[in-house]
Amino acid sequence: METKGFTDQVDNYIHHLRRAIYQPVVERDVGHAPIDRRKASLLLLPLLNGEQWTDEMQTAALAIGAIHTAFDVHDQIDIVDASSKEQQLMVLAGDHFSGIHYKLLASIPNFHLIRSLSSAIGRVNECKTTLLQAPPTTVEERLQLIAEVESACIVKFFESFGFSRYVHIVETVFPFVWLLDSRRHDLNRMKFPHLVPSTHETQDWIDQLQQQLNDRLENSFYLHTEVIAELQKMTNQ
Amino acid sequence: MEKIKLMSLYTDFRKDMSYIEKELERSVQSSSPIVRQASLHLLKAGGKRIRPIFVIMAAQFGTYSLENAAKIAVSLELIHMASLVHDDVIDDSDMRRGLETVKAKWNNRVAMYAGDFIFSRALTSIGNIEKAPVHQILAETMLEICKGEIIQIDFQQQTDQDLRDYLKRIKRKTALLLSSSCELGALSADADSQTVRKLKRYGYFTGMAFQIVDDILDITSTDAELGKPAGSDLLNGHITLPVLYIKDDEQFKPYMKRAFTGVMEESDRQAMLRYIRQSGAIEKAQHVSDLYLIKALKELESLPNGKSKKALTQIADFIGQRKY
């Protein structure tokens, strides 16, 4: 598969996700919902690697995209003052996207995924609250929670559809790119910028996770070389 | 006193409601102490539990299973609770049911996460019901409720609203979830389609009346009775039915203009509330509520007699007379 093919597939998914979560008032007053392209690419990893992709998987993947967008919007709510019309609508936009995620799962209907995703959503919010209010003291524990926040729903999706062998890749990539964003001072893109470790520590962890990712990619015999190249591009220092 | 009276209507279902209360508490347990405290904070503050009781009562018209009905009842109450936690962020409210709100006790972001956590637990509970229509109805209901809130924000401080706009708004805000409580309760017990339809309509009509009375009480009650400042709706820019009836009154307009700033002198707020109470708007709104309750009771007429029908009738009567 060529890189152009990857880009098209991710673009196509984002286009469908935008259509699924569309809400006219929110769109008019708040603008486009933030859709994380990197996260979308990791969610679509089995598809990009040529796995059989059914309509049910596509609908479930859109549901995951909707809940990710809900998380991202709710992460932008001001901690002290959310009284502006824009912030009020963002609270409701997130709730709307959550509702869309449930509607999509109900349309399949996939009861198992409703249950397993609901537990993942609960866990994500527990982790986010911990990171916000009472973060663990070690960088390792913090990275572990960040990995859970970003990957928990994707992991449930992979496990539901027999793609468990991709789990270790996403679990490594997420904390890795969080550290890369922090080094690039890409704080707007980042979640929990207040938890960024010192420059020296960041580099140590980047090196460690880079090594871990390289090992995992080397051992993932089923990954096409083009997919490996894409992942390397995503995690390029 | 009034709260005791509503609870007394649940007497025949006390054991079932007690089971649901325990399930609600169990559902919001969390490995995160803050999430657990934030979720239990609102749960412990109480509430009328009208959604769970509607589920239980509606399920009595089919093959009743407490276990199945409880999964739905817990889910609906949690969805309601999650929306309240987020509403307090939107309205910047510090008090609810006489207690500090989650956003006031912690902060907006914790309230967002706690609300999303409670929502996830709602889906965990109902996820155990493997009936596609149940999920499709609930998903549609949730989206409509959300749409209603978005429209409410969009309509904030807009005075060119009419009765139709108001009714559409309260349908989404309150009536739909009560309607779905009855419908899903009946569906969980495999009640026949006619019965499901009648109970759904009963829930819808009582829900409309419930919200109108709520909007009346926001003006007629004291701050202490409400657990928040009376007139909060208007201070938040929301035009409710009583206000709709006098919004074009020249003497009232300056009050409304000042209320929309969100900050009013205490004496000014009291004067505004007195003005609405004496204008006849409350009686007109009460009349609309009564019409909905008559329709609700009509839906019950052809349903089989029993403790559930009797309690649903009493609840409709209670809504018409409630004082809190």
Side-chain angles (χ1 to χ4, degrees), chain A residues 23 25-26 28-29 67 70-71 74-83 85 87-89 91-93 95-103 106-109 111-112 114-115 117-119 121-123 125-130 132-134 192, chain B residues 29-35 79 82-83 86-87 89-92 103 106-110 112-114 116-117 119-121 123-132 134-136 138-140 142-143 146-147 149-151 153-156 158:
Chain A
Q23 209 300 323
V25 178
V26 171
R28 186 195 68 204
D29 288 357
I67 199 70
F71 291 158
H74 281 173
D75 284 335
Q76 290 175 28
I77 298 304
D78 191 281
I79 204 157
V80 180
D81 180 12
S83 58
K85 185 177 179 184
Q87 285 271 303
Q88 290 176 325
L89 283 173
V91 172
L92 295 170
D95 292 347
H96 170 76
F97 302 150
S98 285
I100 294 288
H101 126 270
Y102 180 41
K103 185 183 174 180
S107 75
I108 303 175
F111 306 114
H112 169 75
I114 289 173
R115 286 192 293 269
L117 258 184
S118 68
S119 84
I121 296 168
R123 181 67 191 143
N125 285 289
E126 287 174 336
C127 293
K128 287 202 290 189
T129 308
T130 304
L132 181 72
Q133 296 292 109
F192 307 107
Chain B
Q29 291 304 318
S30 164
S31 60
S32 155
I34 297 168
V35 170
I79 286 169
S83 76
H86 285 179
D87 283 353
V89 174
I90 292 169
D91 294 337
D92 198 19
K103 79 121 214 156
W106 286 276
N107 57 53
N108 283 340
R109 203 72 72 71
V110 169
M112 295 315 301
Y113 299 158
D116 288 345
F117 171 81
F119 164 73
S120 77
R121 292 298 196 242
L123 294 195
T124 303
S125 179
I126 206 160
N128 290 306
I129 302 279
E130 299 208 345
K131 290 180 177 176
V134 165
H135 295 278
Q136 284 152 5
L138 184 58
E140 277 303 331
M142 284 168 55
L143 285 169
C146 199
K147 187 176 173 185
E149 291 209 66
I150 289 170
I151 291 170
I153 299 289
D154 204 31
F155 269 40
Q156 250 170 358
Q158 278 189 31

Side-chain angles (χ1 to χ4, degrees), chain A residues 190-236:
Chain A
M190 283 190 74
K191 284 180 182 171
F192 307 107
H194 66 293
L195 299 180
V196 169
S198 67
T199 314
H200 176 69
E201 246 182 321
T202 299
Q203 191 54 51
D204 282 352
W205 276 100
I206 285 175
D207 293 343
Q208 203 173 316
L209 287 172
Q210 176 81 73
Q211 187 57 50
Q212 204 175 319
L213 184 64
N214 288 345
D215 291 347
R216 288 185 165 173
L217 292 180
E218 258 178 46
N219 293 324
S220 301
F221 61 91
Y222 48 87
L223 282 180
H224 291 154
T225 49
E226 293 85 352
V227 173
I228 293 175
E230 276 299 303
L231 285 167
Q232 282 168 338
K233 205 161 75 185
M234 195 186 290
T235 54
N236 198 344

Side-chain angles (χ1 to χ4, degrees), chain B residues 28 37 87 92 99 112 158 191 255 261 320:
Chain B
V28 296
Q37 285 168 36
D87 283 353
D92 198 19
L99 283 180
M112 295 315 301
Q158 278 189 31
Y255 282 124
T261 63

Side-chain angles (χ1 to χ4, degrees), chain B residues 241-286:
Chain B
L241 190 54
V243 176
L244 201 67
Y245 285 127
I246 57 159
K247 69 180 173 61
D248 296 323
D249 178 318
E250 289 303 326
Q251 286 185 57
F252 181 69
K253 279 181 182 174
Y255 282 124
M256 191 160 60
K257 201 172 169 188
R258 290 194 295 276
F260 282 171
T261 63
V263 189
M264 271 184 120
E265 291 288 328
E266 181 55 21
S267 57
D268 200 20
R269 180 174 70 99
Q270 293 299 344
M272 175 184 78
L273 292 169
R274 269 197 308 277
Y275 192 86
I276 305 172
R277 287 172 196 152
Q278 289 162 6
S279 69
I282 300 295
E283 290 73 16
K284 283 185 191 171
Q286 186 67 55

